[in-house]
Amino acid sequence: MAIPAILANFSAVLPNLVDTALVGQTGDAIALGGISVGASLATFVLWAFAFLRLGTAGFTAQAFGAEDGDEIKATLNRALALAWIFGFVVLLVMVPLAFVTVPLFGASEAVSDLAARYFHYRLFSAPFDLTNYVILGWLLGLQRMGRALALQLLLNGLNVILCYLLVFQFHLGVDGAAIATAIAQTVTAVVGLVVARRLLRIVPLSDTAGSLVDLDKLFVLVSVNFDIFLRTLAVMFIMVYFVGLGARMGDATLAANQVLFVLMAMIAQILDGFAQSAETLTGQAIGARDRRQLRGAVWGAFFWAFIIAAALSAVLYQYGAIVVGFFSSDPGVIIQALPYLPWLVATPVVALWCYILDGVFIGATRGREMRNGMVIAALGAIVAQYFLIPAYGNHGLWASLMLFFVLRALTLYLWYPRILRALAH
């Protein structure tokens, strides 16, 4: 289950990765800085609605475990309705949002101008981005990993082709990278809706199928999703906050951190594949009221995630300098990034624990604990950077990020017995 989920997960990071790699190969550090700020801000806005994927996967997995076809369909319909409402709200506020937030990064005027342009073009596809979140979560909840993977291959393949054409053939630079990603998201969402409609034809339904406007279930969906929304907002705030701290250290540090952050995002998507398999199996175990199945899902996810994390750290330790070179042809950016590479090497082993526990709590639809744990971790990282960055510079920034991962895992570990106790009743 984890392998296709890992490949499908790259829908969240590959557009940013492709944009960074192709623009980075132009050798323009200013353009790379614009991508860093613009993509970070766009990702912050869009991934704030990641609850549409996370919540949909959890509720769908529980309905699947309970063999409730009516609720499987109703969960999809409710989540799609929320996706389009939120998507159009994003379109309405994106211009004033960029006007207010881009200057907060403290980047140079040239970088800020490119960042705002990227942000605007990228968010034109917001309703379709959020639709893709829902479709992906729904497919993962149903264990339709092959279809989820096929959609992400379409998204990322189309993005690579369009980004290459618009950046290198039509010389649209940062604008072209954003436009390519927006088009790819739109096309994938349309195809995803067709795939979902065909799957619904084979889902067994009763004559009283789950209603879109079932107020009790809609309230539970919104309540859990709101907690996950706040949790996701805290994650994205921390990432954008630390990008902004790097921007204040100069354009060279900003560009170097962007390369490392993109690689860290790739690591996160790999680990999240195991988190999603834990999420799906946790939801099924809770739907079936099977405590033994829950334990097996959790520890199996930890076991395999640790093996993969250790392998990733070993590869980055041996070949990290070569990998960094793939994302920038500017020697100054590469030289600036290499001293901080050991932090990236440590990331897989440090971060895997919080990712797996995130998956368990999402599958259990325990949004409140996730929200509280994330707020504690975010506050801890923010406090730490006030002491570490003045003393150690960019190393202090990365040390604060590692602390963020540790605090996330620790809080959820302490609250995990609550899930077991709930199944005992």
Side-chain angles (χ1 to χ4, degrees):
M1 288 179 64
I3 291 173
I6 290 169
L7 297 175
N9 275 349
F10 280 99
S11 62
V13 65
L14 271 184
N16 189 6
L17 184 151
V18 170
D19 293 350
T20 299
L22 291 180
V23 172
Q25 290 305 314
T26 66
D28 186 344
I30 299 296
L32 188 56
I35 285 282
S36 175
V37 174
S40 295
L41 185 55
T43 302
F44 176 83
V45 172
L46 292 170
W47 198 240
F49 298 97
F51 63 82
L52 291 168
R53 183 194 72 74
L54 303 174
T56 301
F59 282 108
T60 302
Q62 291 186 19
F64 184 65
E67 300 181 353
D68 188 345
D70 298 338
E71 190 58 25
I72 289 173
K73 179 179 180 180
T75 297
L76 175 64
N77 290 336
R78 295 182 194 117
L80 285 175
L82 291 177
W84 279 84
I85 291 170
F86 291 133
F88 281 108
V89 169
V90 170
L91 289 178
L92 291 175
V93 303
M94 68 178 183
V95 173
L97 192 59
F99 180 79
V100 171
T101 55
V102 170
L104 297 179
F105 284 82
S108 66
E109 184 177 349
V111 168
S112 295
D113 178 63
L114 289 175
R117 293 167 64 92
Y118 181 96
F119 179 75
H120 290 144
Y121 283 119
R122 178 67 187 85
L123 287 194
F124 272 116
S125 65
F128 299 99
D129 282 77
L130 303 190
T131 297
N132 283 324
Y133 289 170
V134 170
I135 297 296
L136 178 59
W138 191 69
L139 291 174
L140 292 175
L142 292 177
Q143 294 191 28
R144 302 288 180 167
M145 302 299 187
R147 288 173 173 82
L149 173 59
L151 287 174
Q152 304 323 305
L153 290 175
L154 170 64
L155 169 63
N156 293 299
L158 188 58
N159 184 51
V160 169
I161 294 170
L162 291 175
C163 196
Y164 175 80
L165 290 174
L166 294 180
V167 172
F168 285 101
Q169 300 300 317
F170 293 94
H171 307 290
L172 294 179
V174 172
D175 293 351
I179 292 169
T181 303
I183 294 173
Q185 292 282 354
T186 301
V187 172
T188 304
V190 173
V191 175
L193 289 171
V194 173
V195 170
R197 183 178 180 181
R198 291 184 176 178
L199 270 178
L200 284 174
R201 294 176 181 173
I202 62 173
V203 173
L205 302 173
S206 69
D207 294 332
T208 57
S211 172
L212 177 65
V213 294
D214 185 322
L215 294 182
D216 290 338
K217 292 181 178 178
L218 188 59
F219 175 78
V220 172
L221 176 66
V222 172
S223 177
V224 171
N225 279 343
F226 184 69
D227 287 330
I228 297 176
F229 165 74
L230 293 177
R231 166 261 181 198
T232 305
L233 204 62
V235 174
M236 297 311 303
F237 172 79
I238 285 295
M239 296 310 300
V240 172
Y241 180 73
F242 279 95
V243 168
L245 292 175
R248 286 169 170 77
M249 299 178 192
D251 289 348
T253 299
L254 172 63
N257 278 350
Q258 169 63 6
V259 171
L260 298 177
F261 284 163
V262 165
L263 291 170
M264 186 170 68
M266 292 179 63
I267 292 168
Q269 299 311 313
I270 292 172
L271 296 178
D272 206 36
F274 295 96
Q276 286 179 12
S277 48
E279 172 186 331
T280 300
L281 293 174
T282 296
Q284 289 179 29
I286 289 175
R289 309 295 299 174
D290 190 333
R291 193 172 179 178
R292 182 177 179 182
Q293 182 182 345
L294 173 61
R295 290 182 181 274
V298 172
W299 294 113
F302 273 127
F303 175 79
W304 287 107
F306 180 80
I307 290 176
I308 297 300
L312 284 172
S313 291
V315 169
L316 288 170
Y317 178 80
Q318 187 69 30
Y319 303 106
I322 298 173
V323 174
V324 168
F326 291 150
F327 292 90
S328 179
S329 60
D330 185 339
V333 172
I334 296 173
I335 292 172
Q336 188 76 17
L338 290 182
Y340 310 107
L341 190 58
W343 293 107
L344 190 71
V345 173
T347 296
V349 175
V350 173
L352 77 93
W353 313 100
C354 66
Y355 279 96
I356 299 303
L357 286 168
D358 267 355
V360 172
F361 276 76
I362 290 168
T365 58
R366 308 281 294 205
R368 182 173 301 176
E369 287 93 339
M370 294 182 65
R371 177 201 65 196
N372 294 342
M374 194 64 68
V375 170
I376 292 170
L379 290 175
I382 291 171
V383 171
Q385 65 85 23
Y386 276 108
F387 298 96
L388 294 175
I389 291 180
Y392 303 105
N394 201 38
H395 283 292
L397 183 154
W398 280 91
S400 299
L401 275 177
M402 295 301 109
L403 178 63
F404 177 62
F405 291 134
V406 171
L407 290 176
R408 283 173 61 186
L410 181 60
T411 53
L412 294 182
Y413 172 76
L414 293 175
W415 290 326
Y416 171 67
R418 296 181 182 180
I419 299 176
L420 294 175
R421 287 196 295 268
L423 280 185
H425 298 299

